[in-house]
Amino acid sequence: MNNSETTIKDKIEQIVEYFRAQDEGKAYTALIELIDVLMEYYTNENNQKESDKEMLRELLTAMENRDSVLIADILEYELKEKFQ
């Protein structure tokens, strides 16, 4: 696992913890930071797969709906697995 993958995994864990604790302010701030890191990762590493794109679309929809439970679930059970 390279450094950017470790950073992504750590950020995901932090965000999930914030959402589970219902600290949405910190969660959304950290989520924005994660999105910046993910954009750089997918641009630089050229690791985009169709399944990743679909998962990110689901995440965006959950964010638009402000569904913190679904956001945390997608991060913890789908995105985090990609960086294990």
Side-chain angles (χ1 to χ4, degrees), residues 2-49:
N2 67 38
N3 194 30
S4 65
E5 291 174 343
T6 302
T7 300
I8 291 169
K9 182 178 173 267
D10 291 345
K11 284 202 171 294
I12 290 169
E13 290 172 355
Q14 179 185 43
I15 295 165
V16 169
E17 189 174 308
Y18 287 147
F19 276 121
R20 301 285 189 232
Q22 297 180 346
D23 191 344
E24 289 190 2
K26 286 182 181 178
Y28 279 107
T29 299
L31 183 56
I32 291 168
E33 293 170 4
L34 174 64
I35 290 169
D36 289 340
V37 172
L38 286 172
M39 287 175 56
E40 183 177 323
Y41 173 80
Y42 282 118
T43 300
N44 292 339
E45 302 294 329
N46 196 21
N47 287 326
Q48 286 188 350
K49 298 176 184 167

